[in-house]
Amino acid sequence: RQKEAKTLLNLGSVSNYKGEYGQDRNYQKQALEIIHELGDKWVEAEALNQLGMYLMEAFIYGDAMFNLEHALELNREINFRNGEGCVLGNLGLLHIRMGAFDRGRVYHQQSLGILLEIDNLENLSIVYGNLALLEHHIGDNTLALDHAQRGVELAVETDNRRAQAYTLTSQGHALFGLERQEDAFNAYHQAASLWRELGKFSLLLEPLAGMVRVNMARSEFNQAISTVEE
């Protein structure tokens, strides 16, 4: 039964990576039912985290928070610091999406502390990208750029192309906020190219929208149409 649950979780992860969000939720719910019966708290925490992230991407924020908070509780109960740090970062991102920026910053600071403590550079890059997004939303684009650049550096250092694409998008937002339009366009373009290489076409939308925003700000209307047609 444990192998069956882990297989379902892996299938859920693959479906999520491919952008098949309805299918990944089905796999994860089936896995959770088995895991809960078995009492494997480590695996249950990971499944709840994955399900919470799916629900966040589906804009079902209340259910996402419920699952992420349960995952955090389980990780703390079994003293799994890496899981705790990652879930805290996800809760921080959820609060950013909900517009609760102060609370989002608290979660991210807690996540940073744990991930630095255990030297998890790969997930640190994502947290810095999230912090950059937060500071951009509240108007501190200088600090946002600092966070984004740190995130990009860590993503490159760990050869994590998904994290590179994510943090480059945050970098583009910060640069646009600082009116560095050419640099912003280049950051967005790099992010879009990486998402294409990774086959994550649903995630292309944000950097492509950023490129269009730069085009419009520079009165490059024909180029904006070409970007949209991509």
Side-chain angles (χ1 to χ4, degrees), residues 74-168:
L74 287 173
N75 278 306
R76 285 174 170 168
E77 188 176 331
I78 61 177
N79 197 31
F80 182 45
R81 297 288 278 166
N82 184 57
E84 180 183 357
C86 292
V87 174
L88 283 165
N90 291 337
L91 279 165
L93 180 58
L94 175 60
H95 281 78
I96 292 173
R97 297 277 184 89
M98 295 168 63
F101 300 124
D102 288 342
R103 190 63 181 155
R105 182 183 287 106
V106 170
Y107 278 120
H108 276 109
Q109 288 171 341
Q110 292 176 4
S111 177
L112 274 179
I114 292 172
L115 296 176
L116 283 166
E117 174 191 321
I118 63 176
D119 201 30
N120 185 334
L121 301 183
E122 189 166 332
N123 285 316
L124 268 175
S125 64
I126 297 294
V127 174
Y128 277 117
N130 290 343
L131 280 169
L133 184 63
L134 185 155
E135 299 300 343
H136 168 69
H137 279 309
I138 65 176
D140 191 344
N141 286 294
T142 299
L143 183 54
L145 183 58
D146 287 344
H147 287 319
Q149 288 177 333
R150 181 60 177 144
V152 172
E153 290 167 2
L154 287 169
V156 171
E157 184 178 339
T158 55
D159 194 28
N160 185 338
R161 291 194 298 160
R162 184 182 177 115
Q164 287 178 50
Y166 183 76
T167 51
L168 280 165

Side-chain angles (χ1 to χ4, degrees), residues 149-219:
Q149 288 177 333
R150 181 60 177 144
V152 172
E153 290 167 2
L154 287 169
V156 171
E157 184 178 339
T158 55
D159 194 28
N160 185 338
R161 291 194 298 160
R162 184 182 177 115
Q164 287 178 50
Y166 183 76
T167 51
L168 280 165
T169 302
S170 294
Q171 186 180 66
H173 294 331
L175 288 164
F176 186 84
L178 292 169
E179 299 183 356
R180 292 171 54 180
Q181 294 171 358
E182 184 174 352
D183 291 335
F185 188 91
N186 290 337
Y188 289 135
H189 188 269
Q190 289 178 62
S193 297
L194 283 166
W195 286 132
R196 280 198 187 90
E197 290 174 15
L198 293 167
K200 297 288 286 183
F201 299 109
S202 62
L203 297 175
L204 270 171
L205 295 178
E206 187 174 356
L208 285 178
M211 292 165 65
V212 169
R213 185 166 62 158
V214 173
N215 291 146
M216 297 299 289
R218 298 165 71 173
S219 299

